[in-house]
Amino acid sequence: MSSQTISVHLPDGAIREVPVGTTPLEIANAISPRLAAVSVVARLTPLATVPTAEENGAETASDEAMYSAGDAAAPRLVDLSTPLREDTQLALIRESDPEALKVVRHSAAHVMATAVLELFPETKLGHGPATEQGFFYDFYREKAFTADDLAAIEAKMAEVIARDEKFVVESQPREQALAQFERDGDFMKAHFVAKFTHEGDQVGLYRNGSFVDFCRGPHVPSTGRVKAVKVLNLAGAYWLGDEKNPQLQRIYGTAFFSQKEMDTHFKHLEEIAKRDHRLLGKQLDLFSIQEVAGSGLIFWHPKGAMIRKVMEDWMRDECLRRGYSLVYTPHVMRRELWKISGHEGFYAGNMYTPMELDDAEYRLKPMNCPGHILIYKNSPKSYRDLPVRYAELGNVYRYERSGTMHGLLRVRGFTQDDAHIFCTPGQIEDEVIACIDFAEAVLKTFGFAEFKVELSTWDPADRKTYAGSDENWLAAIGSLERALNRKGIPFKTIKGEAAFYGPKIDFKLVDVLGRLWQLSTVQFDFNLPARFELEYVGEDGERHQPVMVHRALFGSVERFFGVLIEHYAGAFPLWLAPVQIGLVPISERHHAYSAQVKAELEAAGFRAEVDNGNEKMNAKIRDFANQKTPYILVMGDKEAEAHAVSVRTRAKGDQGSMPLAAFLEKSLELVKTRSTEL
Ligand SMILES: [Zn+2]
Ligand SMILES: [Zn+2]
């Protein structure tokens, strides 16, 4: 390389020799003006230190990342106008790339601050990072912003965007920038400059039009690239999070590269809100949480309890079919036991505090494992008895901080579909495969087509954090990997994420809105068998320690139910629906026939409900439809005469009249196959 040119390596493998000082925008334009038009920023990786893909993470929105220069050798996002000074890999980040969204949102925060200063010049600026859903900017102003002010800010932002002002970096000696901010009373900006730059530094300031802000960037090339922006709401925040400091006004907003993307985003949020299990739980009368009893404790109402019964029946039957034994263990056990298990040491913070009885102290169980272990230990085991598989729908209680509970998803009391498998090392792989099969069956049966799998392993560099021998760990990780490979399941290995007691496989299901939920887990344990001195007599007549696997597939019945409610928006498939069939007699003279139909349906195993009220037929149909009842059968003279029913389905509406026998055959088939079709 000569001193005048540098080589720029592009993702397709092409290498361009360009003069020092060439910008990514010039390179983009040389490739194609269309590429330049959709590029937002560039990712540079200095060639001396090309990292692996894994380390090549996205930038964070933390203050540190916003203001400080960071590690010069690390990959970083830069403005398209940044002059290139050294050999580098360069990737152009386009509007469609996920990383670009943060850039446009942070740029929109500058646009918001520009608008606020133009409207309310007395305002002092804090900072304006991008967030998961958009961005915010913190402002200090004595008068509170009103709803009208927010509307005016949004309108002014549109003007700033229409002016299409370029984002330009200006650099200033640090002392000069500090003096300027201090003179202007910009105490927050002065703080950030003082904290994140050093004496003698040149400080980078971003200008658009007459607005100047201190930050590290990067930004979109000009304000006009922020195509869609919305001011959302206002919240209070203390400067530096300290309530002794001035109170700031934090204005939230969101931004996109197009109005269409923004519309999709709000539609998605609306869909999420409509499916909120807390809302549907109330509308459909499924469950409640009652302050008088305590937060995070679930009351299952008859309809919710019916769904739970169907879920639990399925789970228990499957456990039996798959060679598990069902057990029950106590909810409270002596504190001594939790000392042996180690929970008193490493898990006490998540447990309810001890209660003192006349003979000893007791604690509510946060896990079922010690109970199952006591059953295992209660009689001698030989290799012929293994594997032993104990399953329990066990209620556990865990302390969650008040204020952190969330509907069915985060609770203080819940039911694990828990099982513990005790086996010989040689049986591990088959047992793990059986657990994976079972997990897949759960997800499929309950209507989740897609899931992601993660294998959490240890970090051998951090050896002292982990219980069990190296040999055990390597064997366990190997058997989990082999099991996943034998099943042909793609998985992501996450180093250092294992529990201290063993590696694990986590299943994350993908719901109908594309959200990921962590539910099923299969975990190895080298710790508890040692702590409880578990044994079996091997073929060699010697005593050996069994291997132990914890596994939960729903995870928590409560949480799984919450996910199901949102996944189906409360419209449960026929086999799960609490009321499967709603019966609507057209008038009083059809009550006798509808009672007869109900009896026949119930004899066939259906859950049916008759509406014998005085309302009109259409009102009754509407009531059942509001309850998301899968089938509604209407019965009048014609139906009574022909021993028929007029069928309406939740999805397709009026299906016309059919003989009751034909309806029974069809709907029974849907239940038997646990169809998600209806
Ligand atoms: Zn910025
Ligand atoms: Zn366990």
Side-chain angles (χ1 to χ4, degrees):
M1 160 191 120
S2 88
S3 62
Q4 268 76 43
T5 68
I6 51 171
S7 38
V8 176
H9 295 229
L10 299 168
D12 64 358
I15 300 175
R16 291 192 175 230
E17 299 291 331
V18 296
V20 170
T22 301
T23 66
L25 183 63
E26 286 163 342
I27 292 172
N29 259 313
I31 298 169
S32 109
R34 272 176 64 185
L35 175 62
V38 296
S39 293
V40 179
V41 287
R43 190 195 305 110
L44 299 187
T45 312
L47 268 180
T49 54
V50 176
T52 60
E54 212 171 311
E55 289 166 316
N56 196 350
E59 304 254 294
T60 70
S62 72
D63 285 352
E64 189 67 35
M66 261 184 82
Y67 298 108
S68 48
D71 178 1
R76 65 186 201 277
L77 294 183
V78 300
D79 296 325
L80 290 180
S81 58
T82 305
L84 303 178
R85 306 245 171 249
E86 57 186 346
D87 294 351
T88 185
Q89 279 192 349
L90 179 145
L92 292 161
I93 306 296
R94 280 169 283 203
E95 291 181 356
S96 52
D97 294 325
E99 284 171 283
L101 206 50
K102 272 191 169 168
V103 176
V104 74
R105 286 172 172 175
H106 171 64
S107 304
H110 281 244
V111 171
M112 178 185 274
T114 308
V116 167
L117 282 195
E118 286 180 21
L119 292 167
F120 312 99
E122 71 281 11
T123 309
K124 302 300 170 207
L125 303 181
H127 70 163
T131 62
E132 274 308 305
Q133 300 283 329
F135 64 90
F136 65 79
Y137 210 110
D138 281 340
F139 300 103
Y140 175 74
R141 178 174 175 254
E142 275 182 29
K143 259 180 88 177
F145 291 114
T146 63
D148 285 349
D149 292 343
L150 295 190
I153 290 167
E154 191 175 283
K156 181 61 84 178
M157 287 174 77
E159 284 176 34
V160 177
I161 289 168
R163 297 203 298 252
D164 196 20
E165 296 165 352
K166 280 199 159 48
F167 283 103
V168 186
V169 192
E170 294 175 353
S171 92
Q172 251 183 39
R174 176 180 191 258
E175 309 315 317
Q176 193 183 322
L178 265 179
Q180 173 82 42
F181 283 133
E182 273 161 15
R183 197 166 51 240
D184 294 345
D186 267 313
F187 62 99
M188 295 180 280
K189 288 291 164 196
H191 167 88
F192 290 133
V193 173
K195 182 162 177 195
F196 293 109
T197 63
H198 306 99
E199 237 180 287
D201 280 357
Q202 285 289 112
V203 171
L205 297 171
Y206 272 93
R207 171 186 294 282
N208 58 286
S210 56
F211 174 77
V212 176
D213 202 349
F214 165 62
C215 90
R216 184 190 158 204
H219 303 98
V220 294
S222 63
T223 59
R225 293 292 292 278
V226 184
K227 293 277 165 42
V229 69
K230 193 165 176 58
V231 172
L232 295 174
N233 59 315
L234 178 69
Y238 288 102
W239 167 233
L240 301 177
D242 186 340
E243 58 189 66
K244 288 196 262 351
N245 283 338
Q247 177 146 36
L248 308 178
Q249 302 187 65
R250 175 170 290 183
I251 304 182
Y252 286 92
T254 195
F256 290 88
F257 285 107
S258 74
Q259 187 61 40
K260 201 175 146 209
E261 283 169 55
M262 182 143 98
D263 293 345
T264 308
H265 169 76
F266 281 108
K267 240 181 131 181
H268 183 73
L269 290 186
E270 220 175 86
E271 193 55 40
I272 288 177
K274 263 204 312 225
R275 287 169 181 265
D276 189 317
H277 71 278
R278 294 166 300 179
L279 190 85
L280 287 167
K282 202 177 235 171
Q283 272 172 22
L284 303 175
D285 196 18
L286 301 173
F287 72 94
S288 63
I289 297 164
Q290 310 207 22
E291 265 328 298
V292 66
S295 48
L297 301 169
I298 308 300
F299 290 81
W300 294 75
H301 297 198
K303 284 182 180 155
M306 181 52 77
I307 298 171
R308 174 170 173 164
K309 179 204 177 282
V310 178
M311 290 167 65
E312 292 191 350
D313 284 353
W314 181 86
M315 181 53 81
R316 288 200 177 94
D317 290 348
E318 278 297 309
C319 281
L320 293 175
R321 219 171 59 75
R322 292 168 189 263
Y324 288 78
S325 310
L326 298 179
V327 298
Y328 294 90
T329 58
H331 289 212
V332 283
M333 288 177 267
R334 276 193 181 172
R335 198 172 180 183
E336 273 318 299
L337 178 71
W338 303 112
K339 283 183 185 157
I340 300 171
S341 70
H343 288 85
E344 272 287 340
F346 68 84
Y347 206 72
N350 299 80
M351 294 171 74
Y352 275 59
T353 43
M355 54 188 113
E356 198 158 345
L357 301 189
D358 61 343
D359 58 341
E361 282 184 295
Y362 288 76
R363 288 190 98 147
L364 278 169
K365 69 171 166 182
M367 296 190 195
N368 302 299
C369 346
H372 294 186
I373 287 173
L374 292 187
I375 298 177
Y376 178 93
K377 250 178 99 88
N378 196 47
S379 62
K381 298 282 184 294
S382 101
Y383 69 94
R384 283 185 228 95
D385 301 316
L386 303 187
V388 165
R389 308 183 191 96
Y390 293 144
E392 174 178 14
L393 285 152
N395 298 110
V396 296
Y397 295 88
R398 293 184 189 172
Y399 169 68
E400 297 278 355
R401 217 179 270 280
S402 54
T404 62
M405 262 69 73
H406 180 85
L408 294 167
L409 303 181
R410 190 141 180 203
V411 293
R412 281 180 174 167
F414 61 97
T415 314
Q416 283 184 311
D417 65 313
D418 209 358
H420 295 92
I421 298 165
F422 305 87
C423 64
T424 68
Q427 293 168 329
I428 292 178
E429 207 173 305
D430 285 342
E431 287 305 308
V432 172
I433 291 220
C435 287
I436 296 171
D437 280 338
F438 202 165
E440 280 185 312
V442 170
L443 298 179
K444 249 185 222 130
T445 303
F446 288 87
F448 301 98
E450 206 189 325
F451 56 87
K452 297 200 155 69
V453 175
E454 287 176 1
L455 171 62
S456 300
T457 65
W458 67 345
D459 179 1
D462 194 15
R463 186 65 190 82
K464 61 183 185 312
T465 331
Y466 301 98
S469 68
D470 284 20
E471 205 188 335
N472 275 341
W473 272 87
L474 294 174
I477 293 168
S479 60
L480 290 178
E481 277 172 351
R482 278 194 306 278
L484 286 167
N485 287 332
R486 262 171 67 187
K487 289 284 303 169
I489 294 177
F491 62 95
K492 200 165 123 195
T493 301
I494 306 184
K495 202 170 96 177
E497 274 301 301
F500 78 90
Y501 51 79
K504 61 172 177 169
I505 296 175
D506 286 328
F507 287 76
K508 296 190 173 175
L509 65 80
V510 183
D511 78 2
V512 71
L513 296 184
R515 295 173 299 177
L516 282 178
W517 300 91
Q518 156 72 58
L519 298 162
S520 311
T521 180
V522 179
Q523 309 192 350
F524 260 88
D525 193 337
F526 306 121
N527 181 48
L528 288 179
R531 278 182 166 269
F532 281 93
E533 300 172 337
L534 299 187
E535 291 179 343
Y536 68 93
V537 177
E539 244 171 310
D540 55 6
E542 302 290 318
R543 292 170 191 285
H544 298 272
Q545 198 168 85
V547 178
M548 180 175 171
V549 174
H550 310 247
R551 73 109 189 97
L553 305 178
F554 289 147
S556 137
V557 174
E558 283 75 4
R559 190 173 145 83
F560 196 82
F561 183 44
V563 174
L564 278 183
I565 296 172
E566 301 205 355
H567 181 63
Y568 287 116
F572 296 100
L574 184 68
W575 74 281
L576 276 173
V579 175
Q580 297 169 305
I581 304 169
L583 303 182
V584 177
I586 291 178
S587 75
E588 220 181 313
R589 70 174 183 278
H590 309 116
H591 284 187
Y593 178 59
S594 58
Q596 185 195 334
V597 170
K598 181 170 189 268
E600 285 186 49
L601 291 171
E602 284 175 347
F606 281 104
R607 301 181 287 276
E609 206 176 274
V610 188
D611 188 343
N612 279 336
N614 295 323
E615 293 158 297
K616 289 256 162 22
M617 177 186 83
N618 281 338
K620 294 179 183 179
I621 291 174
R622 201 168 45 240
D623 285 349
F624 280 124
N626 286 342
Q627 287 296 303
K628 307 190 189 240
T629 312
Y631 278 119
I632 301 171
L633 304 182
V634 181
M635 285 154 288
D637 294 335
K638 256 187 1 210
E639 284 77 16
E641 264 163 46
H643 201 64
V645 286
S646 177
V647 180
R648 305 178 72 90
T649 71
R650 185 174 54 204
K652 293 187 185 141
D654 197 347
Q655 303 292 297
S657 186
M658 69 167 81
L660 181 59
F663 170 78
L664 270 174
E665 192 185 337
K666 197 176 158 178
S667 45
L668 274 174
E669 183 63 21
L670 290 174
V671 170
K672 214 171 73 197
T673 56
R674 297 187 185 83
S675 169
T676 48
E677 209 178 289
L678 178 70

